[in-house]
Amino acid sequence: MKKVLRIAGYVLGAIVLLLALSAAYVNVSALPTYEVKIPEYPAFKPDSTMIAEGKRTFNLVCNHCHMAESGKLEGKFLPEIPSMFGKAWSANITSHPVYGIGNYTTPELANLLRTGIQRDGDYVPFMPQFNHLTDQDLQNIIAYLRSDAPELAPSDVAHPAVQPSFFGKLLCRTMFKPVPYPDKPIPVPPAGDAVALGRYLATGKLDCYSCHSPDFMTVNSDEPEKTPGYLSGGNELNDLEGHPILSRNLTPDKETGLGNWTEAQFIMALRTGIRPNERPALRFPMMPYTALTDEEAKAIWAYLQTVPPIKNDVDKIKK
Ligand code: HEC
Ligand code: HEC
């Protein structure tokens, strides 16, 4: 009996030691790097319509993370990232060849935005992967990034590298990983189908669902609508001062979601931040989507009506 206990003790000791060693390894080693497989990307000639639409999309999707106080796309500290994941600065994406993305080719940019792998094989933590963006939206964004817009003029501002916490590093070895480059074309939603357009905006383009589902850790980026608690809120983010702020329930549940809102109230909140209830105007990191067209705002609303209602009273969540 004693011998059995002793052996069990050794085994347990060995497991603890192994865990401690792997934790130490994860903590001191750099984030994993990945093989860079540059996709075939057709050459195209950007015209002014593509650049203008790319800029509008960029303003809706990317600007809040990359726009510095200087008014240039120099990158900045991102206060909304919960400290349990670490600290992050977004990149300088001006056309500077060293500090910006002046040396990226078009296929390299497409690969980075779709998969999350930079041209040197590093993974971009803390930036969403745009693997559901339509080919057209992606192309417009690239056309804009390569344009001579003043906010993209070369800047030599450099930021510290991202500093993931131990937990953040652990996640970068387990859950937060590059996604494959899409193996088929991603077409625009059929014209006139508001629900399809709304689904695309809420999941593929504007990423409402990842903030508005209960936990970044359980987001299903392959099939967004299969995310547990889809769009029912309660995800903890940080406000500008670093205090926790919870996302809200966007499902049509009457008591805890948007079930009693009207389309006009929703559009008003989305575009201006002003809510139809006693709560204050929407706070960071929920930025008003001023550049949304009427058609797009209505489409998101139409889509939200089709989402299963979930009872989740965000005000009662204690984190
Ligand atoms: C949630 C914030 C966030 C959003 C939204 C975001 N980014 Fe980023 N971006 C980052 C961070 C963080 C990095 C990485 C910085 C690092 O690795 O040091 C990054 C890196 C990049 C890089 C890589 C630069 C390099 O030097 O390799 C490019 C290009 C880029 N972003 C473009 C975009 C575009 C285009 C969009 C919108 C389609 C976008 N980003 C949306 C946070 C964001
Ligand atoms: C970066 C994370 C993030 C993204 C992306 C995001 N939201 Fe939010 N949203 C929040 C947070 C946090 C709040 C709570 C803000 C507050 O209470 O002041 C919120 C609040 C709201 C509210 C108010 C609901 C209520 O009950 O008061 C609406 C409506 C809303 N978001 C819709 C959207 C839509 C639609 C999208 C996509 C187009 C979106 N959000 C994208 C984080 C986000």
Side-chain angles (χ1 to χ4, degrees):
M1 188 61 197
K2 264 195 184 154
K3 197 173 166 201
V4 174
L5 278 180
R6 203 169 57 223
I7 293 175
Y10 285 146
V11 171
L12 198 70
I15 293 176
V16 170
L17 189 68
L18 208 66
L19 282 178
L21 282 177
S22 4
Y25 170 73
V26 166
N27 207 19
V28 297
S29 59
L31 294 180
T33 54
Y34 295 89
E35 190 194 344
V36 188
K37 279 192 255 159
I38 296 306
E40 283 195 20
Y41 195 88
F44 68 99
K45 260 212 176 70
D47 60 33
S48 56
T49 321
M50 282 161 90
I51 294 173
E53 185 55 22
K55 178 172 176 147
R56 192 178 77 89
T57 303
F58 186 92
N59 283 343
L60 285 167
V61 183
C62 329
N63 205 55
H64 62 283
C65 280
H66 282 283
M67 174 63 80
E69 269 180 24
S70 61
K72 300 185 83 179
L73 293 170
E74 293 169 334
K76 60 174 174 187
F77 177 66
L78 299 177
E80 70 270 34
I81 302 212
S83 46
M84 67 185 280
F85 294 129
K87 280 187 179 173
W89 289 258
S90 63
N92 175 342
I93 55 169
T94 66
S95 54
H96 195 287
V98 178
Y99 297 102
I101 56 169
N103 277 342
Y104 262 88
T105 64
T106 293
E108 283 172 345
L109 264 182
N111 190 51
L112 162 79
L113 295 173
R114 289 280 196 216
T115 68
I117 304 176
Q118 302 184 35
R119 66 200 291 258
D120 58 4
D122 280 348
Y123 168 62
V124 195
F126 306 118
M127 171 159 119
Q129 286 131 348
F130 301 98
N131 53 332
H132 297 292
L133 215 52
T134 63
D135 294 329
Q136 194 176 58
D137 274 332
L138 183 71
Q139 195 174 60
N140 291 343
I141 291 180
I142 294 175
Y144 165 64
L145 287 177
R146 310 199 72 97
S147 73
D148 55 6
E151 60 277 17
L152 287 160
S155 150
D156 58 7
V157 165
H159 300 285
V162 291
Q163 294 167 7
S165 62
F166 167 65
F167 183 57
K169 287 184 182 173
L170 201 63
L171 287 177
C172 286
R173 291 183 176 274
T174 49
M175 297 173 71
F176 294 171
K177 288 198 156 174
V179 298
Y181 195 85
D183 55 6
K184 43 182 181 302
I186 307 183
V188 293
D193 186 340
V195 171
L197 175 62
R199 175 184 296 111
Y200 170 56
L201 293 170
T203 58
K205 187 164 172 178
L206 305 179
D207 214 19
C208 318
Y209 86 101
S210 69
C211 279
H212 279 278
S213 296
D215 196 334
F216 286 124
M217 309 267 290
T218 53
V219 160
N220 183 338
S221 56
D222 287 337
E223 294 176 275
E225 289 171 303
K226 295 201 173 145
T227 297
Y230 184 61
L231 286 175
S232 68
N235 199 353
E236 185 177 311
L237 290 116
N238 279 356
D239 69 11
L240 277 176
E241 281 82 46
H243 303 131
I245 179 165
L246 298 180
S247 68
R248 310 216 54 104
N249 187 342
L250 302 186
T251 72
D253 182 62
K254 288 223 181 290
E255 281 163 45
T256 63
L258 302 183
N260 290 323
W261 288 34
T262 64
E263 182 193 69
Q265 288 170 332
F266 172 77
I267 294 176
M268 168 91 139
L270 200 55
R271 284 236 195 88
T272 68
I274 297 170
R275 291 189 256 205
N277 48 33
E278 67 291 352
R279 281 198 292 274
L282 288 170
R283 293 156 295 173
F284 182 91
M286 177 67 208
M287 308 299 275
Y289 288 85
T290 34
L292 270 189
T293 64
D294 238 18
E295 187 198 359
E296 289 168 332
K298 285 184 170 167
I300 299 176
W301 178 251
Y303 169 63
L304 289 178
Q305 306 316 298
T306 70
V307 168
I310 298 179
K311 207 164 279 314
N312 184 25
D313 190 345
V314 172
D315 291 322
K316 295 225 172 88
I317 298 178
K318 298 262 180 299
K319 291 241 179 174

